[in-house]
Amino acid sequence: MNEKGRGSMLEVSKMKGIGPKTLTLLNKINIYTIDDLVSHYPFRYDLLKRSDLKTVQENDKVILDGKIESIPILLRFKGGLNKLNFRLVTPSGVVGVSIFNRAFLKSNLTIGTNVIVIGKYDRAKNIITASDIKFGTLSNEAKIEPVYHCTSGLTNKNLANYINGAIMLYGKEIKDYIPKKYLDKYGFSNKRTALSIVHNPPTMEKLKEASIRLKYEELFAFMFKINYLKEQNHKEKLGIKRSIDMTKLESFIKKLPFELTDDQKKATKEIIDDLNSKNRMNRLLQGDVGSGKTIVSVLAMYANYLSGYQSALMAPTEILATQHYNTIRELLRGTPIEVGLLTGSMTKRDKQEIYDELANGTMQIVIGTHALIQEDVHYQNLGLVITDEQHRFGVNQRANLKNKGVKPDVLYMSATPIPRTYALTIYGDMDVSIIKEMPKGRKPVKTYVKTNDEMKEILEMMYEELKQKHQIYVIAPLIEESENSDLTTVNELRDKMNLAFGSKYKIDIVHGKMASGAKDLIMAEFLQNKVNILISTTVIEVGVDVPNASMIVIFDANRFGLSTLHQLRGRVGRGETESKCILISSQDTDRLKIMEKTNDGFLISEEDFKLRGHGDLFGTKQSGDMAFKIANVRQDYKILVQARDDSYEYLLDTSFDNEELKQSLMESINDN
């Protein structure tokens, strides 16, 4: 097949006009193929309609076009801020324009240039404080302009040009996952037309139609995958026939240094019933942050051991795997069970020792990262597979681990609460157990919403914790500064924290762009109390338990979804000390106030669904199977249900003759 015929598989580097520099910028926003490019959908649309300054109210948003009348004056301020001022001749008269932090535009804003200005109008001063400036003029008809997530060095206009070029050149070859029957049934346009409309909407009505069609396709492919996995599980229904000595299990539970909560008891019973059943277990264990999922998984592994089988627990990071290893080994101290740790950074000799013990059956439980699914790993009798934070593993990774056993039972764990209605659809191929109740004695984290003006009080609160020899997390949403962003960065926060505390306390940073080894080293130092303040992005959302960390301070909290804030808050409150979470934001404080009122992750996730849909439930684009590009689980739930039913019908109905499409859908399963 020639390159053009490969359509969506074609790398964007093959497109004319995309050189190495542009390619690097596109890769930064996860665009690697033509399919990535054309499915990089606008996150909003601006309705560009010329305002009449005679009728607008004070501080109303205005959109005006005109010619630049004066040479722009650039003013610079402390802290790297800057402002451009110039005069604009518009159909409503001459008006002053000011725009902050756009110094890079100065060379293009020459006298006589046509620009469109969007901003707020100050009638008394006859000045527009602009939020955006575009080049060109407005027509008499309102224009719908798509706005994309970009990166510094890549403009909205350039990105739109690349997308439209890709649709023009490769639109016919881009895979369409909707079978003809359903295209006809719902009167959907072809994919190329839908893509063209979404990126260049002629009217809001046409945009809505095209969006529904693309949402349906995305959800159809997703639900086909879920239904396919469900059918595979049914075909592989027969599992391991066990004989679990319940007396020994109950004796082990009685010896635990704590009492199980009712939810833990219920979840344990459901899992034990699955293990005793002749059918294979395929269960999701959902538990709020700190609800005690780990002990439930230990009881499952202990029961599996009592029936003569090995267990494997896979975690997404080495540091989390090590934490599980230490916790589980301690809980199983005094039993004859040998627990091992297997990670990628181990020496070849140490790995081989684990391989041998798994192969000859002398190791009953192994905990590790993706190293557990490497070709060199062979188990004597793997009976139970557990994956922690399961949404962070692709389907292939989970399947590879599952296939290491003959017919092992499978338990997935997630600390990301999802409303039950949605969980039953999204995880339609699994049974679901939920732990809401917190263990006795666990103190809820006290949460405070503060503004930037209260920074002195925040620093005093931090100092009080540090004086008590406690540790603090400080969270920023960005790693490095962008020309188009005023968000607080990790590096900027380090400078501020060093200024406030640097002479007395050790401060370090960790973020997603760091090499995993360097990141793990700093996290280990924080765990050992060698670092007092750890400044981080959301990479610590799922990480080690640091009982001595008693405070987390989150800057620009309005930029996070409630569910992510709840996950971050769960990093503290893991010791006996009462812990605090400080959310700093001068905007959107009403939404954040719910965090002061409740520590219930399920209630918070419901609110997140109402306000933001599914997108933030798994943090920052780490959602694996849930990373929809245009669909929204809550808002598009009716489409999701219809796509579920249609995809199941299509999967089972042998009268459909498009085997090539079915094969493409099968391949889409493996893509994740």
Side-chain angles (χ1 to χ4, degrees), residues 52-301:
D52 184 348
L53 292 184
K54 294 172 185 173
T55 60
V56 297
Q57 300 299 309
E58 186 73 14
N59 285 325
D60 271 1
K61 180 182 176 180
V62 296
I63 300 172
L64 280 178
D65 60 338
K67 277 186 170 28
I68 295 175
E69 187 188 58
S70 64
I71 297 170
I73 298 169
L74 176 63
L75 303 174
R76 296 190 183 276
F77 308 100
K78 285 182 180 178
L81 296 175
N82 60 75
K83 182 170 77 166
L84 280 170
N85 294 329
F86 60 89
R87 291 194 309 277
L88 188 70
V89 180
T90 79
S92 298
V94 179
V95 64
V97 176
S98 292
I99 188 163
F100 287 90
N101 300 327
R102 297 292 194 281
F104 57 91
L105 287 176
K106 187 177 187 301
S107 60
N108 295 317
L109 297 175
T110 54
I111 293 174
T113 301
N114 289 308
V115 292
I116 301 165
V117 173
I118 302 168
K120 288 189 176 180
Y121 181 55
D122 183 329
R123 184 175 291 282
K125 296 180 180 177
N126 190 34
I127 288 175
I128 297 172
T129 301
S131 58
D132 199 7
I133 291 177
K134 303 172 186 294
F135 292 92
T137 58
L138 294 168
S139 63
N140 292 325
E141 297 295 321
K143 181 187 177 187
I144 305 167
E145 181 169 280
V147 182
Y148 300 94
H149 284 299
C150 295
T151 187
S152 182
L154 186 66
T155 67
N156 198 76
K157 185 178 180 182
N158 286 341
L159 187 52
N161 286 339
Y162 298 138
I163 290 168
N164 289 318
I167 293 170
M168 189 182 299
L169 286 170
Y170 305 107
K172 288 181 180 177
E173 286 82 27
I174 292 168
K175 284 180 183 175
D176 188 336
Y177 291 109
I178 304 179
K180 187 175 185 304
K181 172 179 178 173
Y182 302 115
L183 287 171
D184 295 342
K185 180 179 179 180
Y186 302 118
F188 287 145
S189 64
N190 64 54
K191 188 165 185 177
R192 182 181 186 178
T193 301
L195 286 169
S196 185
I197 290 171
V198 162
H199 291 292
N200 306 277
T203 65
M204 293 305 290
E205 186 182 356
K206 291 285 186 187
L207 172 60
K208 185 179 178 182
E209 288 174 5
S211 296
I212 289 171
R213 183 250 182 263
L214 292 171
K215 287 175 179 182
Y216 175 88
E217 180 190 32
E218 188 169 43
L219 293 170
F220 182 92
F222 176 78
M223 290 313 303
F224 182 91
K225 172 174 65 177
I226 293 295
N227 286 323
Y228 171 79
L229 293 173
K230 191 175 183 178
E231 284 303 298
Q232 289 298 108
N233 288 334
H234 285 166
K235 286 176 186 175
E236 301 171 357
K237 206 167 184 181
L238 288 178
I240 296 166
K241 193 169 183 179
R242 286 182 175 79
S243 177
I244 299 171
D245 188 331
M246 294 304 294
T247 307
K248 286 185 178 178
L249 180 62
E250 286 162 11
S251 174
F252 177 75
I253 292 172
K254 283 178 184 174
K255 289 177 184 174
L256 290 171
F258 48 81
E259 186 183 343
L260 296 180
T261 65
D262 289 341
D263 281 357
Q264 286 173 328
K265 289 174 185 175
K266 184 184 175 188
T268 301
K269 183 182 182 303
E270 289 169 343
I271 291 165
I272 299 302
D273 287 347
D274 283 352
L275 293 176
N276 273 325
S277 164
K278 63 182 180 182
N279 298 330
R280 287 183 75 181
M281 175 169 68
N282 192 47
R283 182 171 291 277
L284 170 70
L285 177 62
Q286 257 197 292
D288 204 349
V289 176
S291 63
K293 295 180 301 303
T294 303
I295 185 58
V296 174
S297 72
V298 169
L299 294 175
M301 290 188 283

Side-chain angles (χ1 to χ4, degrees), residues 394-649:
V395 172
N396 275 346
Q397 285 180 308
R398 299 205 299 265
N400 284 345
L401 184 53
K402 186 170 72 174
N403 292 335
K404 287 286 181 183
V406 182
K407 289 180 180 176
D409 290 286
V410 185
L411 178 66
Y412 305 105
M413 297 198 298
S414 177
T416 307
I418 302 173
R420 189 174 183 85
T421 310
Y422 300 101
L424 291 174
T425 300
I426 294 159
Y427 298 116
D429 59 320
M430 303 179 199
D431 296 309
V432 180
S433 293
I434 292 177
I435 305 177
K436 285 188 175 183
E437 193 180 354
M438 287 292 158
K440 289 177 183 176
R442 172 135 187 172
K443 296 177 182 176
V445 178
K446 285 193 173 180
T447 303
Y448 305 86
V449 177
K450 301 285 185 183
T451 66
N452 290 297
D453 295 335
E454 297 173 281
M455 190 56 65
K456 185 180 177 183
E457 181 187 341
I458 294 164
L459 291 173
E460 286 171 354
M461 291 173 74
M462 292 175 69
Y463 187 49
E464 284 302 313
E465 295 299 317
L466 291 167
K467 280 196 297 185
Q468 293 176 55
K469 301 193 183 308
H470 296 155
Q471 291 164 275
I472 300 173
Y473 289 106
V474 175
I475 307 299
L478 286 184
I479 298 164
E480 56 194 23
E481 201 154 353
S482 161
E483 288 176 315
N484 299 323
S485 175
D486 58 355
L487 295 181
T488 311
T489 71
V490 170
N491 293 319
E492 184 186 338
L493 276 179
R494 179 172 55 183
D495 293 342
K496 287 180 178 177
M497 293 297 135
N498 273 322
L499 196 62
F501 306 114
S503 59
K504 289 186 176 181
Y505 299 101
K506 175 74 185 296
I507 299 163
D508 215 330
I509 63 171
V510 63
H511 54 74
K513 285 190 175 181
M514 294 172 71
S516 60
K519 195 161 46 181
D520 286 350
L521 182 63
I522 293 168
M523 291 297 287
E525 287 186 344
F526 189 62
L527 180 59
Q528 296 159 18
N529 203 1
K530 293 178 181 176
V531 171
N532 307 109
I533 299 175
L534 183 66
I535 303 169
S536 170
T537 55
T538 52
V539 295
I540 60 99
E541 182 190 335
V542 175
V544 292
D545 288 344
V546 183
N548 192 49
S550 62
M551 179 180 280
I552 184 164
V553 182
I554 304 172
F555 282 78
D556 299 311
N558 57 297
R559 300 285 178 155
F560 297 99
L562 297 175
S563 292
T564 295
L565 291 173
H566 179 64
Q567 292 289 310
L568 289 167
R569 177 168 64 180
R571 290 299 94 216
V572 297
R574 293 177 173 258
E576 295 179 3
T577 308
E578 187 177 85
S579 296
K580 301 178 182 70
C581 171
I582 301 174
L583 306 177
I584 304 174
S585 176
S586 298
Q587 305 171 41
D588 203 15
T589 51
D590 287 345
R591 178 178 70 93
L592 299 176
K593 289 286 183 182
I594 190 175
M595 299 291 293
E596 290 184 326
K597 297 172 187 172
T598 183
N599 277 268
D600 184 335
F602 288 89
L603 178 61
I604 287 166
S605 76
E606 288 279 7
E607 286 298 312
D608 231 359
F609 259 69
K610 288 177 190 174
L611 295 166
R612 294 165 67 101
H614 82 279
D616 197 63
L617 284 180
F618 296 125
T620 54
K621 276 275 184 181
Q622 295 171 323
S623 53
D625 300 347
M626 283 288 288
F628 297 128
K629 292 188 174 181
I630 193 168
N632 177 303
V633 171
R634 185 189 67 83
Q635 293 174 4
D636 304 320
Y637 190 66
K638 286 183 179 177
I639 303 174
L640 175 66
V641 171
Q642 192 62 55
R644 177 194 66 193
D645 295 344
D646 290 345
S647 64
Y648 191 60
E649 176 188 53

Side-chain angles (χ1 to χ4, degrees), residues 338-378:
E338 184 176 345
V339 183
L341 177 67
L342 183 61
T343 64
S345 65
M346 289 169 63
T347 64
K348 191 174 180 181
R349 183 179 174 181
D350 288 343
K351 284 180 187 174
Q352 190 59 53
E353 194 175 322
I354 301 291
Y355 298 159
D356 293 342
E357 291 188 43
L358 288 173
N360 64 32
T362 55
M363 181 173 287
Q364 290 83 28
I365 292 176
V366 64
I367 295 147
T369 56
H370 62 278
L372 294 178
I373 58 177
Q374 301 304 311
E375 285 183 16
D376 294 334
V377 186
H378 300 283

